[in-house]
Amino acid sequence: MDSRIDEIVAQMKTLENELMDELKKKEDEFFYTLEDKKVKFEESVVKEGRAKIVSSIKYLSSFSVLVILTIPFIWSMMIPALIADIFVTIYQAVCFPIFKIPKVKRKDYIIIDRYNLFYLDRVEKINCWYCEYFNGVIGYTREIAARSEQFWCPIKHSKPQIDMHSRYNKFFHFGDYETYRQELEKRRSNFKDLECEV
């Protein structure tokens, strides 16, 4: 693999870690801590936030009728999300051990925690639940697909992508048939970087 690409990927990883450190600092700024994986806010902040909750009726009435009419379309998308969640979970449970691919941890992608936010009304909490579940399923599915693609077809595209998945830097360059034939078996099983995450 290209050492310059590896260097850039390492820099990106470093920046991601710095970003996580900065986000952790926000715990202090917004007066919460994590205790046994549960968010704990200072009591005075909770009281102040609850006093400012907008009623669900007032919240919904702030939208136009057309926006309200889209709600059935939005919620109908939950059906394919649930189906995708079930099927990709079964797929990786059956296939990843055979392919010797490390499994994707569902809990790292589908994080349901906004219902704990004391300053949201019921409708806002339901909306947040929908979005965090749906986006979590998409991220979870994408990572499973990325690991599968690395195993079956680790070749980059001829055109640049707007957003590359986590395994893309392990792929062969488009048109590099010699390296592809020489290193395919090695690359399709190169998940060593994931083993250190476990």
Side-chain angles (χ1 to χ4, degrees):
M1 278 190 250
D2 297 339
S3 59
R4 180 67 183 135
I5 291 173
D6 291 341
E7 185 181 313
I8 292 169
V9 169
Q11 289 172 348
M12 288 170 58
K13 241 339 182 195
T14 301
L15 287 172
E16 284 175 5
N17 291 336
E18 285 179 32
L19 175 61
M20 291 308 293
D21 290 343
E22 287 301 314
L23 291 172
K24 280 210 172 285
K25 289 178 186 175
K26 290 292 181 186
E27 291 177 15
D28 294 333
E29 187 177 330
F30 292 108
F31 307 100
Y32 74 88
T33 56
L34 289 174
E35 297 174 10
D36 295 325
K37 297 182 182 180
K38 288 186 179 181
V39 176
K40 181 118 172 109
F41 284 92
E42 287 184 14
E43 194 59 40
S44 61
V45 175
V46 173
K47 284 180 184 174
E48 185 181 336
R50 283 191 177 141
K52 295 178 181 177
I53 289 178
V54 177
S55 74
S56 295
I57 301 295
K58 191 172 183 181
Y59 172 74
L60 287 171
S61 65
S62 69
F63 297 104
S64 71
V65 173
L66 284 176
V67 171
I68 300 300
L69 291 174
T70 65
I71 291 172
F73 296 98
I74 294 167
W75 278 93
S76 69
M77 293 304 298
M78 190 55 75
I79 297 166
L82 285 166
I83 291 170
D85 189 5
I86 291 165
F87 276 84
V88 298
T89 299
I90 293 169
Y91 161 73
Q92 91 159 337
V94 172
C95 298
F96 276 23
I98 295 167
F99 304 153
K100 294 182 176 61
I101 297 174
K103 287 185 183 175
V104 177
K105 293 179 186 169
R106 187 176 178 276
K107 67 179 177 138
D108 290 346
Y109 292 87
I110 301 174
I111 301 168
I112 310 293
D113 61 354
R114 295 186 204 149
Y115 64 89
N116 287 319
L117 290 171
F118 53 87
Y119 53 86
L120 300 177
D121 71 26
R122 285 187 186 108
V123 173
E124 289 172 315
K125 286 183 181 191
I126 291 168
N127 287 344
C128 282
W129 176 85
Y130 173 94
C131 290
E132 61 192 354
Y133 176 74
F134 200 105
N135 282 297
V137 168
I138 298 299
Y140 173 62
T141 302
R142 185 178 194 202
E143 184 60 20
I144 290 170
R147 294 180 191 190
S148 298
E149 186 178 17
Q150 181 180 339
F151 183 84
W152 288 105
C153 189
I155 300 171
K156 293 177 180 164
H157 294 283
S158 61
K159 299 174 186 171
Q161 290 180 298
I162 291 174
D163 184 29
M164 295 174 285
H165 60 63
S166 69
R167 310 307 301 164
Y168 200 71
N169 67 310
K170 306 277 185 204
F171 288 17
F172 297 101
H173 293 288
F174 189 88
D176 185 1
Y177 65 89
E178 285 184 12
T179 311
Y180 176 80
R181 288 293 167 215
Q182 291 169 3
E183 296 183 19
L184 179 59
E185 288 307 314
K186 181 180 166 189
R187 294 247 186 127
R188 73 170 14 148
S189 61
N190 184 2
F191 292 98
K192 289 183 183 128
D193 59 311
L194 296 175
E195 291 166 9
C196 64
E197 291 178 8
V198 177

